[in-house]
């Protein structure tokens, strides 16, 4: 009888530990998950849904969580997959441009400068969206300050060197196109 | 501004723009919303598991009950049950007098008993009742029969005379019935002519 009671208390303790681990993961990494999802989806409502879905998936594998060596990279990978899957489902071509291009310039900047900044941001977003997936994904992940190239490599399932080189190439493409665009504009 | 300065400026701007690109802040309270959602999902899963457990237990209980009923049913009705439920008149006539031969058990009777172990239908009760040697079963005399018996007791000679006369009359009738009918033969020939 005592053995059964001990076993039951151990099971309960284990379940409680799993719950605590998940809660800690939510508290610690929800912002990262959100940013990863946003870098793919570019829409706040979709991003929030993707964040919720990511943690619901984690709940399904809650028992695994204690054995994961790098929960951050693991979560980032799940978030990335969820967001990419969602992007394929929800096609919102240009909804992101106006919203995410609104990087607020300093208040003392002139109106012309503000307009130029907004125009540039919108154009950059279009350029990034137009990049091939193999270049866009490493670039997008490397823009996130919380994600190191090693973690980006884990998320994408490629080598760290490949992440670096592809991000660099994507950046070069963007720079060339931006220069060309600015020349045409002038 | 030469080309190099312009490229440098673009480079700087690109750095800032890409930092901005990945810099998205969630609405306040994201963690709490996620945790609440996770908790509700956890409750849903727990209740679902409880339902599965309950369904499993009910199924197991039903199987055990069915097995138990099967066991007790076969004990109650050994293989001595009469197979055919209602014999036809011809079968009844052909059947020899005396104790009925025991037929092997057939399924329909058993199945009915298993399905309703508590309430046995009347047909089954009739089947399970012991078979008597005499058919129809002896029953007490009705009023007319009693009067006849009294008459025979009081006037035995008269009763014997009446009985003999009736017997002679019946024999005469039988003889007439057995004899060939000339009218039938005539009608048969007329049928053939037609």
């Amino acid at each position: 009888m005592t053995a059964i009671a001990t076993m039951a208390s151990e099971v309960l303790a284990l379940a409680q530990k799993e719950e605590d681990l998940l809660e800690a993961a939510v508290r610690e990494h929800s912002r990262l998950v959100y940013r990863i999802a946003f870098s793919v989806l570019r829409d706040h409502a979709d991003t929030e849904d993707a964040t919720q879905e990511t943690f619901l998936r984690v709940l399904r594998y809650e028992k695994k969580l204690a054995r994961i060596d790098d929960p951050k990279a693991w979560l980032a990978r799940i978030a990335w997959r969820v967001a990419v899957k969602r992007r394929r489902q929800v096609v919102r071509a240009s909804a992101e441009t106006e919203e995410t291009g609104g990087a607020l310039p300093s208040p003392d900047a002139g109106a012309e400068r503000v307009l130029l900044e907004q125009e540039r941001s919108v154009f950059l977003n279009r350029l990034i969206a137009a990049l091939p997936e193999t270049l866009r994904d490493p670039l997008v992940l490397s823009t996130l300050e919380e994600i190191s190239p090693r973690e980006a490599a884990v998320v994408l399932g490629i080598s760290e060197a490949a992440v670096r080189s592809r991000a660099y190439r994507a950046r070069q493409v963007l720079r060339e196109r931006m220069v060309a665009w600015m020349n045409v504009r002038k | 501004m030469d080309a190099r300065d312009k490229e440098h400026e673009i480079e700087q701007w690109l750095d800032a723009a890409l930092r901005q690109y990945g810099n998205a802040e969630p609405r306040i309270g994201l963690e709490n919303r996620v945790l609440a959602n996770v908790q509700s999902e956890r409750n849903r899963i727990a209740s679902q598991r409880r339902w599965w457990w309950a369904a499993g237990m009910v199924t197991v209980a039903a199987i055990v009950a069915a097995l138990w009923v099967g066991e007790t049913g076969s004990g109650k009705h050994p293989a001595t049950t009469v197979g055919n439920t209602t014999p036809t008149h011809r079968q009844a006539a052909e059947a020899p007098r005396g104790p009925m031969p025991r037929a092997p058990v057939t399924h329909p009777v058993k199945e009915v008993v298993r399905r309703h172990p508590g309430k046995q239908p009347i047909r089954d009760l009739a089947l399970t009742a012991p078979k008597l040697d005499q058919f129809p079963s002896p029953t007490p005399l009705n009023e007319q029969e009693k009067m006849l018996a009294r008459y025979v007791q009081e006037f035995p000679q008269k009763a014997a005379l009446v009985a003999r006369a009736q017997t002679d009359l019946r024999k005469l009738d039988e003889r007439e019935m057995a004899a060939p009918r000339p009218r039938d033969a005539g009608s048969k020939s007329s049928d053939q002519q037609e």
Side-chain angles (χ1 to χ4, degrees):
Chain A
M1 198 67 183
T2 323
I4 293 170
T6 314
M7 203 183 294
S9 65
E10 278 175 9
V11 168
L12 284 175
L14 194 67
Q16 186 60 44
K17 194 183 164 191
E18 282 164 2
E19 282 188 24
D20 292 346
L21 273 174
L22 183 58
E23 192 176 331
V26 171
R27 298 227 178 266
E28 200 175 339
H29 301 300
S30 60
R31 189 164 168 267
L32 168 72
V33 168
Y34 186 90
R35 283 189 169 198
I36 289 171
F38 187 79
S39 71
V40 176
L41 294 165
R42 313 303 297 169
D43 179 88
H44 285 285
D46 283 344
T47 303
E48 178 131 356
D49 288 349
T51 308
Q52 298 275 13
E53 198 182 328
T54 301
F55 283 106
L56 290 183
R57 279 199 192 187
V58 172
L59 177 67
R60 254 181 263 161
Y61 303 106
E62 199 178 16
K63 288 182 172 56
K64 252 178 140 185
L65 198 57
R67 298 195 302 270
I68 302 288
D69 293 332
D70 188 357
K72 186 184 163 191
W74 185 65
L75 269 171
R77 190 169 179 160
I78 295 174
W80 179 262
R81 284 183 179 177
V82 168
V84 167
K85 191 180 168 193
R86 206 175 182 87
R87 182 176 62 190
R88 284 179 192 146
Q89 288 169 348
V90 184
V91 182
R92 291 187 182 180
S94 58
E96 86 270 18
T97 51
E98 302 306 324
E99 199 177 343
T100 58
L104 291 175
S106 56
D108 52 343
E112 198 183 342
R113 179 99 184 143
V114 170
L115 278 175
L116 179 67
E117 281 296 321
Q118 283 183 349
E119 215 176 337
R120 269 183 182 178
S121 294
V122 169
F123 186 66
L124 179 70
N125 286 339
R126 283 183 188 158
L127 283 182
I128 292 172
L131 282 174
E133 212 166 284
T134 49
L135 296 182
R136 185 179 61 216
D137 291 350
L139 177 79
V140 163
L141 278 177
S142 65
T143 62
L144 302 173
E145 58 190 26
E146 297 97 336
I147 294 275
S148 67
R150 187 188 62 77
E151 287 164 340
V154 171
V155 170
L156 296 174
I158 55 177
S159 69
E160 195 179 330
V163 170
R164 285 181 194 278
S165 69
R166 286 182 194 183
Y168 180 75
R169 266 167 44 211
R171 209 183 150 89
Q172 271 187 321
V173 171
L174 291 182
R175 192 174 53 226
E176 283 165 16
R177 290 184 186 169
M178 283 300 292
V179 169
W181 178 72
M182 285 177 83
N183 288 337
V184 168
R185 210 172 158 276
K186 279 188 178 177
Chain B
M1 189 188 283
D2 60 348
R4 190 177 291 176
D5 287 343
K6 203 190 292 173
E7 271 195 27
H8 183 68
E9 189 205 345
I10 287 176
E11 189 74 29
Q12 277 186 332
W13 178 85
L14 197 59
D15 275 340
L18 285 176
R19 266 201 303 277
Q20 191 64 38
Y21 186 85
N23 188 17
E25 288 299 329
R27 281 191 298 133
I28 297 165
L30 175 73
E31 292 166 11
N32 293 333
R33 287 194 297 278
V34 170
L35 283 173
N37 202 16
V38 163
Q39 192 56 45
S40 75
E41 181 69 10
R42 198 176 263 150
N43 292 342
R44 195 185 65 80
I45 291 169
S47 77
Q48 216 173 23
R49 272 190 198 147
R50 274 198 292 274
W51 273 109
W52 276 111
W53 268 103
M57 295 299 281
V58 166
T59 310
V60 168
I63 290 168
V64 168
L67 287 174
W68 182 75
V69 167
E71 285 294 315
T72 53
S74 62
K76 256 184 198 173
H77 302 281
T80 53
T81 316
V82 178
N84 203 352
T85 53
T86 48
T88 59
H89 291 295
R90 175 176 282 194
Q91 282 170 335
E94 285 172 359
R97 294 282 172 140
M100 294 286 285
R102 304 288 180 175
V105 180
T106 51
H107 298 290
V109 175
K110 269 191 166 184
E111 282 175 8
V112 170
V113 171
R114 277 182 189 168
R115 262 184 252 136
H116 306 289
K119 298 175 184 175
Q120 276 192 322
I122 295 164
R123 198 181 67 169
D124 294 340
L125 285 173
L127 285 171
T128 52
K131 288 279 174 185
L132 300 175
D133 294 344
Q134 191 181 345
F135 181 81
S137 317
T139 51
L141 298 176
N142 61 19
E143 201 56 38
Q144 283 184 335
E145 287 167 342
K146 280 177 186 170
M147 283 169 68
L148 183 64
R150 220 177 299 135
Y151 177 78
V152 169
Q153 275 182 349
E154 286 175 10
F155 310 100
Q157 290 179 346
K158 282 185 181 178
L161 278 173
V162 170
R164 200 173 301 137
Q166 280 194 343
T167 309
D168 290 344
L169 191 64
R170 198 171 64 232
K171 280 180 181 171
L172 193 65
D173 282 349
E174 283 175 356
R175 222 174 293 139
E176 278 182 3
M177 292 290 283
R181 291 182 181 180
R183 204 173 61 182
D184 285 354
S187 67
K188 200 175 180 182
S189 64
S190 66
D191 287 346
Q192 280 173 352
Q193 279 173 2
E194 279 174 9

